[in-house]
Amino acid sequence: IRLLGRLRSAGRDRVVASAMAPLGVVARAASRRPSVCASVAGSAWSRCMGHTRRQHAWSQQARGIRVLAIGNTIIDTVLTMERIPVDDKVWIDSKKAFVGGQGSNAAQGMARMGLSVSFLTRLGDDKDGQWARSTFERAGMDTSHCIVVPKALTMSACVTIGTKCMTRCCLMHKDASLFELDVTPHLASIDLSRFDVVYTDGHQTDLALPVARRAAARGMRIVADIEVLDDETRELFEVATDVVA
């Protein structure tokens, strides 16, 4: 809410909440939709349900839209337990692994809703990177723009969830060598005429900003999902046609 207010204070009318922007909603995981409606849009539950029906109708019309999605891929290992210990040992209740990350979740969600999605992201040449790429391909996504960095580890996170204490902890790992590869030639090779929309999760702005600038020059639709406000995401905000906050 604070971020939404700060963006709106810039005098922009194109700042939208997910519940108000069809493509922004498609880019969100379905499990987050009710909380977005309630906390950001301020809608009653009945309005959320009405929006869901409208979104379903829109998603049928949106099939075939060509999206270049840009953002993080993070391999999430999720551990659940009743309480998260401090300086102690406990047996956990469950352990599951997912190909996650903000951009990855959005891209997979859009692909499953029938949009034609290409994903620009960084992957290591490790087993996690191979798993992520095969997961994207099984979802029907184009992985030709995934940048596989030699001798680097794919980003990962261990998420602990206390089911009774209702708390969580995210322990994240980012291999510095993943960001040492020169991506300029790869970005220059992207043919934006193949896409209708550019989506960015607001992360890895060294990938997103050059593409967004070119897309803006072409008059393309640019959807920016801004989680953290800094100088680079402010520039994304300036070139975006739609901002999800």
Side-chain angles (χ1 to χ4, degrees), residues 45-241:
W45 177 249
S46 60
R47 291 183 61 190
C48 288
M49 295 303 293
H51 168 73
T52 301
R53 289 190 293 270
R54 291 192 299 274
Q55 178 191 327
H56 175 73
W58 178 86
S59 67
Q60 298 303 310
Q61 301 171 2
R63 292 182 183 276
I65 289 179
R66 303 168 302 170
V67 181
L68 175 62
I70 309 169
N72 281 341
T73 297
I74 301 175
I75 303 301
D76 293 325
T77 300
V78 180
L79 312 177
T80 65
M81 61 210 75
E82 290 188 355
R83 291 177 177 81
I84 299 175
V86 176
D87 193 23
D88 198 2
K89 295 181 180 180
V90 296
W91 290 105
I92 64 173
D93 297 324
S94 68
K95 174 184 177 181
K96 295 181 180 179
F98 304 90
V99 178
Q102 299 92 324
S104 168
N105 288 336
Q108 292 179 76
M110 287 187 280
R112 288 170 183 152
M113 295 187 74
L115 280 71
S116 177
V117 180
S118 296
F119 191 30
L120 172 59
T121 188
R122 285 181 169 92
L123 301 174
D125 63 351
D126 55 355
K127 290 183 178 179
D128 283 346
Q130 295 171 12
W131 179 37
R133 188 161 185 166
S134 64
T135 298
F136 299 151
E137 290 171 349
R138 285 197 302 272
M141 295 162 55
D142 170 27
T143 59
S144 63
H145 295 304
C146 291
I147 302 172
V148 179
V149 181
K151 299 180 180 180
L153 298 175
T154 303
M155 288 193 293
S156 61
C158 180
V159 183
T160 58
I161 299 175
T163 54
K164 283 195 174 180
C165 61
M166 298 301 290
T167 59
R168 68 165 187 166
C169 181
C170 298
L171 309 175
M172 306 182 68
H173 177 259
K174 180 169 64 176
D175 185 354
S177 62
L178 191 68
F179 297 85
E180 294 175 355
L181 181 71
D182 181 12
V183 297
T184 305
H186 188 94
L187 298 181
S189 70
I190 297 174
D191 181 5
L192 289 179
S193 68
R194 295 180 51 235
F195 304 102
D196 304 305
V197 180
V198 171
Y199 166 85
T200 169
D201 65 0
H203 297 279
Q204 300 199 39
T205 50
D206 63 324
L207 300 181
L209 270 175
V211 175
R213 292 182 190 119
R214 289 172 51 202
R218 297 176 61 90
M220 293 177 63
R221 187 83 172 264
I222 304 168
V223 180
D225 189 347
I226 297 177
E227 180 181 14
V228 178
L229 195 60
D230 56 27
D231 290 341
E232 292 182 330
T233 53
R234 283 180 187 276
E235 185 175 352
L236 272 179
F237 174 64
E238 291 298 326
V239 300
T241 58

